[in-house]
């Protein structure tokens, strides 16, 4: 009954784990969820007020498919000032979530049997989007002992390679790519005439590092498609609001897909996005400081249990090596059944994740401490 495109794609492992956790909750079992990548903070009030006021003022009709002009202008200004990108309102596409932007990019840039390079491990939805476009994901290795930075990338470039996907800060590892890593990727993209999809959704959730947009580097302005959004930095996951910045030729193709599928992002939600960019940024700083504290509690606790875990430089995930206790799939299943702790097996993120689990620390420090105690009781 399914098309060949759909048959190539597996169920999202993060959603599957979340559903299993919800089934246990329906039985009145207290489940500590470390599985979903969703900040547990409320959306800042000024953002909510802006969207509500827009709705009550009649902003409930169709929006321009590419986005409302004031939001596109604010995004372009943000990308120019913060990311040093050659951004203009005319090449900004506002989407219902960054994931939709990524899907549209894969569908518009990749052709049948093209190849796209992913750094292993990588976010769960890149691979399915590549496959639905008829292309093939190619996994290039990263080094866990060097904070999961990619290496030997050029060895995985073939005459079918069309794109390299960059995600910094990275889901699931929390790795942040320094300038020399990005320069290496940029050199390869230029030498082989490749596109780069730069997913920068976690750019503001970063610790003791500087975020660098690869699209700001020499020779990368026209070949980089930058994706970002509001879900993570502004705790707006349910609002579904993202955006892409691309060369005009690519932008036109993205717009073609959007206008024939989802039409546009929700009109009054876009007014909330405008308020997020132009309003006070203190809620972002406060959230990042709390994530930093949670990271330290979690990573120190995991290492004290004999679970090897790097200290993430960004995002809000720890990618922990559980090989001393079994595969990632085995440990994740045992933790959910025996400790009622939900984590995501690392295999969901690529071949190298077999012996890892991803733990999202988007929950309170008290729940993290309790989760560590539960994990300890099972592993001992």
């Amino acid at each position: 009954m399914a098309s060949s495109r759909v048959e190539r794609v597996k169920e999202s492992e993060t959603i599957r784990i979340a559903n299993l956790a919800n089934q246990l909750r329906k039985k009145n079992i207290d489940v500590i969820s470390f599985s979903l990548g969703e900040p547990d903070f409320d959306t800042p009030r000024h953002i909510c007020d802006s969207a509500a006021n827009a709705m009550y003022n009649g902003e409930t009709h169709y929006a321009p498919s590419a986005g409302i002009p004031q939001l596109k202008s604010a995004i372009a200004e943000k990308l120019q000032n913060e990311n040093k990108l050659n951004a203009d309102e005319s090449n900004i596409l506002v989407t219902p979530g960054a994931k939709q932007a990524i899907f549209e990019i894969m569908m518009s840039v990749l052709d049948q049997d093209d190849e796209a390079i992913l750094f292993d491990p990588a976010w769960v939805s890149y691979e399915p989007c590549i496959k639905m476009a008829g292309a093939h994901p190619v996994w290039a290795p990263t080094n866990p002992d060097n904070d999961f930075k990619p290496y030997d990338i050029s060895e995985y470039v073939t005459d079918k390679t069309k794109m390299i996907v960059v995600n910094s800060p990275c889901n699931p590892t929390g790795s942040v790519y320094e300038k020399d890593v990005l320069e290496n990727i940029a050199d390869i993209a230029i030498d082989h005439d490749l596109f780069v999809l730069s997913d920068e959704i976690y750019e503001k959730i970063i610790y003791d590092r500087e975020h660098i947009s690869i699209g700001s580097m020499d020779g990368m302005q026209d070949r980089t498609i930058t994706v970002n959004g509001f879900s993570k930095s502004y705790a707006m996951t349910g609002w579904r609001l993202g955006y892409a910045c691309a060369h005009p030729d690519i932008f036109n193709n993205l717009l073609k897909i959007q206008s024939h599928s989802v039409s546009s992002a929700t009109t009054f939600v876009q007014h909330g996005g405008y308020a997020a960019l132009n309003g006070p940024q203190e809620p972002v700083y406060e959230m990042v400081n709390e994530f930093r504290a949670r990271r330290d509690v979690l990573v120190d606790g995991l290492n004290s249990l004999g679970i090897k875990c790097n200290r993430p430089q960004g995002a809000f995930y720890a990618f922990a090596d559980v090989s001393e206790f079994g595969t990632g799939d085995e440990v994740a299943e045992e933790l959910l059944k025996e400790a009622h702790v939900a984590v995501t097996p690392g295999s969901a993120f690529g071949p190298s994740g077999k012996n890892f689990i991803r733990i999202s620390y988007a929950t309170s420090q008290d729940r993290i401490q309790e989760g560590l105690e539960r994990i300890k009781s099972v592993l001992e």
Side-chain angles (χ1 to χ4, degrees):
M1 297 291 290
S3 70
S4 59
R5 290 184 300 277
V6 175
E7 286 183 340
R8 298 180 71 197
V9 175
K10 297 179 181 178
E11 176 188 13
S12 169
E13 190 67 17
T14 52
I15 300 300
R16 186 183 74 84
I17 294 295
N19 289 338
L20 290 174
N22 286 333
Q23 290 174 18
L24 291 174
R25 290 192 183 99
K26 289 179 180 179
K27 299 177 182 179
N28 294 319
I29 296 173
D30 178 32
V31 177
I32 297 177
S33 179
F34 294 139
S35 59
L36 279 180
E38 178 174 37
D40 58 320
F41 302 91
D42 291 333
T43 304
R45 180 62 183 265
H46 68 280
I47 298 174
C48 297
D49 287 345
S50 178
N53 290 336
M55 183 167 53
Y56 291 129
N57 288 331
E59 297 291 343
T60 57
H61 302 281
Y62 288 130
S65 191
I68 61 174
Q70 57 265 50
L71 178 57
K72 285 163 57 72
S73 178
I75 291 170
E77 184 177 354
K78 180 263 184 215
L79 292 176
Q80 292 166 11
N81 295 335
E82 295 184 11
N83 304 89
K84 313 305 178 188
L85 297 181
N86 184 22
D88 182 82
E89 181 181 332
S90 63
N91 65 346
I92 302 296
L93 180 70
V94 180
T95 59
K99 183 182 288 187
Q100 178 68 21
I102 290 167
F103 176 78
E104 292 177 9
I105 291 164
M106 300 302 188
M107 296 298 290
S108 64
V109 171
L110 298 177
D111 221 333
Q112 190 72 28
D113 292 329
D114 281 343
E115 293 177 353
I117 293 176
L118 298 176
F119 300 142
D120 186 12
W123 177 55
V124 295
S125 291
Y126 296 136
E127 181 182 25
C129 289
I130 291 167
K131 288 183 174 180
M132 280 190 278
H136 304 285
V138 174
W139 295 97
T142 62
N143 184 358
D145 295 327
N146 186 29
D147 289 321
F148 295 95
K149 303 299 194 316
Y151 63 95
D152 292 341
I153 303 167
S154 59
E155 293 186 12
Y156 296 86
V157 177
T158 72
D159 58 359
K160 293 184 177 181
T161 306
K162 190 78 168 288
M163 176 187 289
I164 301 174
V165 178
V166 175
N167 178 212
S168 175
C170 175
N171 176 4
T173 65
S175 179
V176 175
Y177 297 165
E178 292 92 351
K179 186 176 181 181
D180 61 330
V181 174
L182 293 174
E183 285 178 337
N184 182 40
I185 297 170
D187 288 344
I188 292 169
I190 293 168
D191 289 346
H192 297 275
D193 194 21
L194 307 177
F195 290 108
V196 169
L197 191 166
S198 183
D199 180 357
E200 304 182 15
I201 191 70
Y202 295 98
E203 67 162 344
K204 292 185 181 296
I205 305 175
I206 196 166
Y207 322 106
D208 309 316
R209 290 290 189 277
E210 176 190 7
H211 174 72
I212 302 173
S213 294
I214 191 170
S216 67
M217 295 182 166
D218 291 343
M220 294 300 295
Q221 294 279 1
D222 290 343
R223 68 178 66 253
T224 302
I225 311 162
T226 301
V227 173
N228 209 323
F230 298 81
S231 292
K232 314 300 183 180
S233 298
Y234 297 98
M236 294 173 64
T237 53
W239 295 61
R240 309 313 304 134
L241 189 63
Y243 56 89
C245 175
H247 183 276
D249 291 342
I250 299 173
F251 167 84
N252 289 332
N253 290 328
L254 298 178
L255 181 59
K256 189 185 301 182
I257 293 174
Q258 177 144 307
S259 63
H260 285 300
S261 54
V262 296
S263 295
S264 69
T266 302
T267 307
F268 54 86
V269 163
Q270 295 187 58
H271 288 270
Y274 178 83
L277 292 180
N278 288 279
Q281 300 301 302
E282 285 77 12
V284 178
Y285 308 145
E286 292 169 2
M287 184 172 65
V288 172
N289 285 335
E290 176 60 21
F291 277 139
R292 187 197 314 269
R294 294 175 181 182
R295 174 200 66 174
D296 292 342
V297 170
L298 176 64
V299 172
D300 291 345
L302 290 172
N303 282 296
S304 72
L305 295 177
I307 298 175
K308 184 180 177 182
C309 184
N310 294 347
R311 196 171 301 275
Q313 301 160 341
F316 41 77
Y317 310 104
F319 205 57
D321 183 346
V322 293
S323 56
E324 292 292 322
F325 306 95
T327 66
D329 291 77
E330 292 167 346
V331 171
E333 182 175 352
E334 185 177 16
L335 290 179
L336 186 58
K337 289 182 177 179
E338 302 298 329
H340 302 142
V341 172
V343 301
T344 307
S347 59
F349 303 96
S352 72
K354 177 182 177 182
N355 293 321
F356 290 80
I357 58 173
R358 189 196 74 172
I359 303 175
S360 168
Y361 46 92
T363 189
S364 71
Q365 293 186 50
D366 288 343
R367 292 294 272 177
I368 291 172
Q369 291 280 19
E370 184 178 350
L372 288 167
E373 289 298 322
R374 293 189 190 185
I375 292 171
K376 179 180 179 181
S377 68
V378 169
L379 296 185
E380 286 184 343

